Amino acid sequence: MLGRKSKSTIDSLIGISTNIQGDVNFKGGLRIDGHIKGNINAEPGQPSVLVISEHAKIVGEIRAVHLIVNGEIIGDVHSVELLELQPKARITGDVYYKALEMHGGALVSGKLSHGHTEEAPVLKLAASSGGDA
């Protein structure tokens, strides 16, 4: 129980009357009630919680460790650990997750993929060159 305290803390809020055009990068916890047209990225390698409320609308790609959705997302979603889709969640795009909790009423129009194989780095070109010099 003690270790979970830092994972569920919300540090920042984007209010219901806020509209953002551009990417949002964050660490820790972020709750979004407004509208964002741009990608939302949690700091890689750090614990993060992103809450998309029922009033929120996101047009862009989302990456976070723990993601709780009850609003609308148009774009791909990448959840490193847990993805919670609450009853009013609407996602139009592909969803990548490690663990999924989906409530009745939630809707995903796209592909559901367990794991993150699409994010494997492709850095093999330098190792394969070196014969004709």
Side-chain angles (χ1 to χ4, degrees), residues 20-84:
I20 295 175
Q21 293 207 9
D23 293 348
V24 175
N25 298 308
F26 74 99
K27 66 181 183 179
L30 173 63
R31 177 185 170 100
I32 300 173
D33 293 333
H35 294 175
I36 296 178
K37 189 172 188 177
N39 299 328
I40 302 171
N41 296 300
E43 186 171 319
Q46 299 293 318
S48 61
V49 177
L50 177 59
V51 178
I52 309 292
S53 82
E54 65 182 83
H55 306 290
K57 181 175 181 180
I58 312 299
V59 178
E61 185 175 82
I62 296 178
R63 292 179 185 272
V65 173
H66 183 178
L67 180 58
I68 302 166
V69 180
N70 204 24
E72 183 179 2
I73 299 170
I74 300 171
D76 291 349
V77 174
H78 302 264
S79 177
V80 175
E81 289 294 328
L82 176 61
L83 173 61
E84 297 179 42

Side-chain angles (χ1 to χ4, degrees), residues 1-11 27-30 46-50 65-66:
M1 284 271 232
L2 295 176
R4 300 185 106 194
K5 182 181 173 190
S6 63
K7 283 189 172 184
S8 62
T9 303
I10 299 298
D11 303 311
K27 66 181 183 179
L30 173 63
Q46 299 293 318
S48 61
V49 177
L50 177 59
V65 173
H66 183 178

Side-chain angles (χ1 to χ4, degrees), residues 54-132:
E54 65 182 83
H55 306 290
K57 181 175 181 180
I58 312 299
V59 178
E61 185 175 82
I62 296 178
R63 292 179 185 272
V65 173
H66 183 178
L67 180 58
I68 302 166
V69 180
N70 204 24
E72 183 179 2
I73 299 170
I74 300 171
D76 291 349
V77 174
H78 302 264
S79 177
V80 175
E81 289 294 328
L82 176 61
L83 173 61
E84 297 179 42
L85 299 179
Q86 295 183 342
K88 294 183 180 179
R90 301 286 180 265
I91 299 176
T92 303
D94 294 340
V95 176
Y96 303 90
Y97 63 93
K98 183 174 181 182
L100 176 66
E101 182 180 315
M102 189 169 182
H103 295 255
L107 176 65
V108 175
S109 299
K111 178 177 66 173
L112 289 172
S113 296
H114 181 262
H116 285 277
T117 56
E118 90 290 355
E119 292 184 15
V122 183
L123 300 173
K124 296 181 181 178
L125 295 175
S128 64
S129 63
D132 293 339

